[in-house]
Amino acid sequence: MGLDDRDALRVLHDAFTPDDANGLVRRFYANWFALDVSVRDLFPPEMAGQRAAFAHALHWVYGELVAQRAEAPVAFLAQLGRDHRKYGVLPTQYETLRRALYATLRGYLGAAWTPAVDEAANQSLNLITGVMSGAADSDDGPAWWDGTVTEHVRVSRDLAVVRLRLDRPLPYHAGQYVNVHVPQCPHRWRYLSPAVPADPDGRIEFHVRVVPGGLVSNAVVNETRPGDRWRLSSPHGGLHVDRDGGDVLMIAGSTGLTPLRALIMDLARYAVNPRVHLFFGARYRCELYDLRTLWQIAAHNPWLSVSPVSEYDRDPAWAADYPDVTPPRGLHVPQTGRLPEAVTKFGGWGDRQILICGGPAMVCATKAALIAKGAPPERIQHDPLSR
């Protein structure tokens, strides 16, 4: 049955944990590098981030295949294949990837490796590597875009806004994300979402928060300076608002605001829009760094409502070292608490298009809370890598 066998696909899905707690992805990379030494130079010396991203991606792809939803993973894999052109990946390396992943799964699953699982593994791995390599081979657009940092603004203790001017415009849809390489971290890439819609003059903006232990995020927040040269990959993601699909609920945790901010700015081009209610959350009120911009947009667009949410009702002492983000009156009353509880105390929002962006734990908790309140899962959007 192959790709139609949900039970066999579920065995493969369960083998991939989002945090690679069982070490399967670690074993896969060791096997792949042993099978094809040419691929080792494509990756950074420290592989923790790469392994985590790969584990997240495979866990999500197999989850979609179990649910018999092939359209989203095929589109995601095609984008991933086009994106991997920036590494210089060769067609032969996709074949060795397939062989190494097959052998690793078979060795890991042991007695659970039945003929049905074998068939599902062969067909799914052929799909994964075939879509990626086919998309990479058929794309004749640029493999990357270079740009210069024009402004770096530290807006909080661990958060910065970075603006660039690209050498040539990067076409993307509001709500998508790109893979970014900064000069301080050779061979390391990080996914970031543009905070503004695509600009014909190549201007682009990112909001970055330090991830504990994250080399790239620390470099962006603490070391980036105007004049630095960045490299960006082709865009990913399908986060979107259907302007004919009814009213919208957006939920942003910290810099998860960026793709939603870009979507809101894109909607502001139109005279008529569905109602949009945005919950913007952070630990402290001083970390709701973009409330003034959101207030300005809401002041001119009555379809937009913004609810600020902070886990604590008082700011820490270090807040005095950074700009005051308190907006003028006009937004909804600030709330105190965690985002899942703040959102769901108003109900399940089952009649809305729902978009959630932020850290994986927040996304999962908020999604679960909304579903428990009656929101249909098919109405909820979030990026695959936010699982």
Side-chain angles (χ1 to χ4, degrees):
M1 294 174 65
L3 293 177
D4 295 323
D5 190 335
R6 292 191 177 192
D7 291 336
L9 288 169
R10 192 171 288 110
V11 172
L12 299 171
H13 169 262
D14 293 346
F16 291 98
T17 58
D19 57 359
D20 194 35
N22 54 20
L24 174 66
V25 171
R26 181 185 293 272
R27 290 187 225 177
F28 154 67
Y29 276 109
N31 290 340
W32 191 21
F33 296 161
L35 178 65
D36 187 348
V37 295
S38 69
V39 300
R40 184 61 187 91
D41 289 340
L42 302 178
F43 297 96
E46 171 51 54
M47 288 288 293
Q50 177 67 31
R51 287 194 296 266
F54 190 77
H56 271 290
L58 268 292
H59 183 79
W60 178 80
V61 166
Y62 274 107
E64 293 295 291
L65 293 178
V66 168
Q68 298 294 288
R69 296 190 294 260
E71 184 177 349
V74 165
F76 172 73
L77 291 165
Q79 289 178 330
L80 207 59
R82 290 190 289 269
D83 181 59
H84 274 58
R85 292 180 304 142
K86 68 180 184 289
Y87 297 121
V89 178
L90 302 173
T92 55
Q93 292 166 335
Y94 282 108
E95 174 56 24
T96 59
L97 181 151
R98 188 197 66 79
R99 289 164 53 194
L101 199 48
Y102 175 88
T104 305
L105 280 166
R106 184 167 186 168
Y108 172 77
L109 290 171
W113 190 267
T114 64
V117 172
D118 182 86
E119 184 178 1
N122 268 307
Q123 290 191 19
S124 61
L125 294 178
N126 285 341
L127 172 71
I128 290 167
T129 56
V131 169
M132 289 180 66
S133 60
D137 187 58
S138 63
D139 194 333
D140 55 3
W144 60 74
W145 285 257
D146 290 328
T148 302
V149 174
T150 58
E151 191 174 1
H152 178 276
V153 181
R154 192 72 169 264
V155 294
S156 186
R157 182 174 61 171
D158 59 358
L159 203 155
V161 172
V162 184
R163 298 183 178 95
L164 296 92
R165 183 72 173 265
L166 302 179
D167 297 347
R168 54 186 167 187
L170 168 63
Y172 61 89
H173 298 295
Q176 289 191 300
Y177 55 93
V178 297
N179 221 356
V180 175
H181 178 271
V182 301
Q184 292 86 356
C185 300
H187 301 294
R188 291 180 172 87
W189 294 74
R190 184 181 170 185
Y191 288 113
L192 297 176
S193 295
V196 293
D199 178 68
D201 293 325
R203 289 184 291 262
I204 195 166
E205 177 177 319
F206 298 103
H207 303 170
V208 184
R209 183 175 180 177
V210 169
V211 176
L215 293 176
V216 176
S217 63
N218 272 277
V220 170
V221 173
N222 297 312
E223 302 173 24
T224 295
R225 299 291 181 270
D228 284 357
R229 295 284 289 173
W230 284 21
R231 176 162 289 180
L232 281 58
S233 76
S234 54
H236 296 255
L239 206 65
H240 68 283
V241 170
D242 179 357
R243 293 182 58 246
D244 298 317
D247 292 339
V248 182
L249 169 67
M250 294 183 174
I251 307 161
S254 186
T255 53
L257 174 68
T258 54
L260 304 182
R261 180 187 195 264
L263 282 165
I264 289 169
M265 287 183 166
D266 191 57
L267 288 172
R269 298 183 299 129
Y270 302 96
V272 178
N273 281 308
R275 289 182 301 161
V276 177
H277 195 121
L278 168 67
F279 286 84
F280 178 28
R283 291 170 301 178
Y284 302 104
R285 290 184 181 180
C286 64
E287 294 180 314
L288 297 169
Y289 63 95
D290 209 40
L291 279 182
R292 287 182 178 270
T293 301
L294 295 171
W295 178 85
Q296 290 170 354
I297 298 173
H300 294 89
N301 295 277
W303 46 265
L304 176 63
S305 300
V306 180
S307 293
V309 182
S310 59
E311 293 184 24
Y312 304 99
D313 59 2
R314 293 187 178 182
D315 284 336
W318 53 258
D321 297 332
Y322 299 95
D324 180 10
V325 300
T326 306
R329 292 184 178 274
L331 291 175
H332 279 47
V333 176
Q335 300 180 53
T336 303
R338 297 175 64 249
L339 269 172
E341 289 77 20
V343 173
T344 54
K345 74 180 182 182
F346 294 99
W349 303 86
D351 60 338
R352 304 291 180 106
Q353 303 177 66
I354 302 174
L355 288 72
I356 313 174
C357 294
M362 185 282 286
V363 170
C364 289
T366 305
K367 181 178 180 180
L370 285 165
I371 292 172
K373 280 283 191 174
E378 63 273 13
R379 298 276 287 176
I380 301 175
Q381 298 180 53
H382 58 83
D383 284 325
L385 296 178
S386 293
R387 285 280 297 172

